[in-house]
Amino acid sequence: MEITFLGTACMQPTKERNHPAVLLSYGSEGILFDCGEGTQRQLRICGYKPTKITKILISHWHGDHVLGIPGLLQTIASSEVDRTVDIYGPKGSKKYMSYMFKGFAERDKENFKVHEITKKRFCDAEEYYLEAMALEHGIPCLGFSFVEKDRRKINVDYVKKLGIPDGPLLGELQNGKNIEWKGKMVNLDDATFIVKGRKLSYIADTVACKNAVKLAEDADLLISESSYTEEHREKADEYKHMTARDASLMANNANAKMLILTHFSQRYKEMSEVEDEAKTVFNNVRLAYDCMKVNL
Ligand SMILES: [Zn+2]
Ligand SMILES: [Zn+2]
């Protein structure tokens, strides 16, 4: 499970920071959280093929979070990869996507499907599920969680000692079924153990709110916007954003294990003031930079 920060600016990109996008690479899936302008180029710079993107989760329809979508989809459409990209977003996403694609003279094949999210657990895959909750940003805006399902694994030493061979019996154990071996029941709790799934939460533009804390509960990694510091409290309130302190309080309240801040205003040249403010509340915090990779 590898996370790449493709863009870490807020409203305006800078020389060092691109518009927002975070990539989660998980098995054969490439899941994008937001897709700011230039995201496909950032993918290239970070060594990831744009055609590997399978899902795009849109937090909200402010330009800085979505302007990269048409270019990325066009690149995928013109490649040899014949894939439909699933796009998930708040109410209104279907309308906005159709407006966006009316702006071009020629259209490649339509290689995407837009899903407007109407419930918390909106996508269920074999190994994980995705959750969304409404944030508070003045327009419909969603935060997301990627939750890996718990897996049962075989206690190899134990089954070897019993002499159970590789094959369907081990498969049944792995699926949580009790089996019989040499006339005796095998104790499932001895023969297998549970590996807890990992959780990643992504809190995009919002003021501090209860839903953000709920969504990020017990996250192994919480990625959060942190547009301002307390010095610009009134700006944070006016534009409905969080300060570094807000984000850290959220991480604390949600009992998150690690916090990575992103979506920084270009006004902060000396990032240590952002980090220091966050650390007064939550110790395990890092600041994202473009192309930063984290393994979970
Ligand atoms: Zn933003
Ligand atoms: Zn916004």
Side-chain angles (χ1 to χ4, degrees), residues 9-12 19-20 34 59-60 62-65 137 141 202 204-206 225 227 241 263:
C10 68
M11 290 283 289
Q12 293 172 16
H19 266 169
D34 285 327
S59 64
H60 65 303
H62 276 157
D64 50 333
H65 292 253
H137 187 49
C141 183
Y202 172 78
D205 302 12
T206 185
E225 79 122 314
S227 304
H241 282 292
H263 198 274

Side-chain angles (χ1 to χ4, degrees), residues 30-44:
I31 302 174
L32 270 183
F33 295 84
D34 285 327
C35 185
E37 183 184 343
T39 293
Q40 61 165 325
R41 188 145 188 276
Q42 293 294 93
L43 285 166
R44 297 257 187 224

Side-chain angles (χ1 to χ4, degrees), residues 132-145:
M133 284 179 90
L135 303 175
E136 295 175 23
H137 187 49
I139 63 167
C141 183
L142 298 170
F144 296 107
S145 281

Side-chain angles (χ1 to χ4, degrees), residues 199-253:
K199 177 175 175 179
L200 162 74
S201 296
Y202 172 78
I203 303 297
D205 302 12
T206 185
V207 292
C209 65
K210 279 197 187 122
N211 274 2
V213 174
K214 241 188 250 174
L215 187 63
E217 201 179 350
D218 297 325
D220 295 285
L221 172 60
L222 167 56
I223 297 167
S224 174
E225 79 122 314
S226 166
S227 304
Y228 297 101
T229 61
E230 285 297 317
E231 193 192 337
H232 302 103
R233 178 84 248 167
E234 69 298 338
K235 288 242 180 304
D237 293 341
E238 186 184 344
Y239 299 114
K240 297 197 185 311
H241 282 292
M242 282 194 281
T243 63
R245 184 181 152 77
D246 287 334
S248 301
L249 278 170
M250 169 180 64
N252 236 346
N253 292 334

